[in-house]
Amino acid sequence: MADHLEASVTLPSDPASVSAARAHVAGALEEWGLPPDAELCDTVRLIVSELATNAVQHTFGQSPTFTVDVVLVRDELVHIGVTDSHPRFPKRLPAAVQQDNGRGLVIIRWLTAECGGRLRIRPTREGGKTVAVELPWPGTATATATVEPTETVVAAARTEP
């Protein structure tokens, strides 16, 4: 396999785009040799669903599109990133037991940690942000070892609108 494979799609910030983002990433992973029923494929689909949903719901109309990138590096790491043009970084919302939402980042952090991966949030040059997850590719030493997960938030000073 190649040292570096990537797939990217830009979609409108619309709820219907969440399933399109999920299908795009699942298709890329399958093309790169990951079976659709693999545990990592399920994990990535859920992470993409949560990230895309956040990009649609929490950009308050300030990001007309979002971009989903998936990159496989040397059959060792898969990077999944969702970029939007809204300047506000995601934050955990209070979620009451009865609420159906507000747990997206918690789910993403848990899934990332469970896989021994890393979550990063960084600003873009254009003033938006990318929320990215890096996970070990199946079959690598990192994928089978217990790895202490890390989370990095690279924040620039932001003023609230």
Side-chain angles (χ1 to χ4, degrees), residues 16 19 25 27 29 38 40 56 69 74 79 82 84 101-102 110 116 122 129-130 137 145 158 161:
S19 62
V25 171
L29 295 177
L40 180 64
V56 169
D69 297 300
R74 292 184 303 276
H79 299 267
V82 174
D84 64 58
N101 60 4
W110 185 85
R122 61 185 180 277
K129 68 195 164 289
T130 299
W137 189 252
R158 299 207 186 270

Side-chain angles (χ1 to χ4, degrees), residues 66-88:
F66 65 95
T67 300
V68 179
D69 297 300
V70 60
V71 179
L72 178 59
V73 181
R74 292 184 303 276
D75 286 342
E76 295 174 4
L77 295 171
V78 63
H79 299 267
I80 303 102
V82 174
T83 303
D84 64 58
S85 59
H86 193 283
R88 187 175 303 135

Side-chain angles (χ1 to χ4, degrees), residues 37-142:
D37 60 347
E39 188 174 339
L40 180 64
C41 198
D42 290 339
T43 299
V44 170
R45 279 194 297 261
L46 184 51
I47 288 171
V48 169
S49 290
E50 293 297 333
L51 291 176
T53 297
N54 284 351
V56 169
Q57 288 184 344
H58 301 294
T59 58
F60 307 108
Q62 292 185 15
S63 183
T65 62
F66 65 95
T67 300
V68 179
D69 297 300
V70 60
V71 179
L72 178 59
V73 181
R74 292 184 303 276
D75 286 342
E76 295 174 4
L77 295 171
V78 63
H79 299 267
I80 303 102
V82 174
T83 303
D84 64 58
S85 59
H86 193 283
R88 187 175 303 135
F89 274 44
K91 60 182 176 182
R92 187 182 316 182
L93 298 174
V97 174
Q98 302 87 353
Q99 281 184 311
D100 292 335
N101 60 4
R103 295 180 186 88
L105 276 180
V106 172
I107 292 169
I108 293 164
R109 285 182 178 115
W110 185 85
L111 290 169
T112 301
E114 183 75 14
C115 292
R118 181 170 35 191
L119 171 68
R120 294 182 180 183
I121 305 167
R122 61 185 180 277
T124 63
R125 292 180 190 173
E126 297 79 22
K129 68 195 164 289
T130 299
V131 182
V133 172
E134 177 182 277
L135 302 171
W137 189 252
T140 63
T142 310

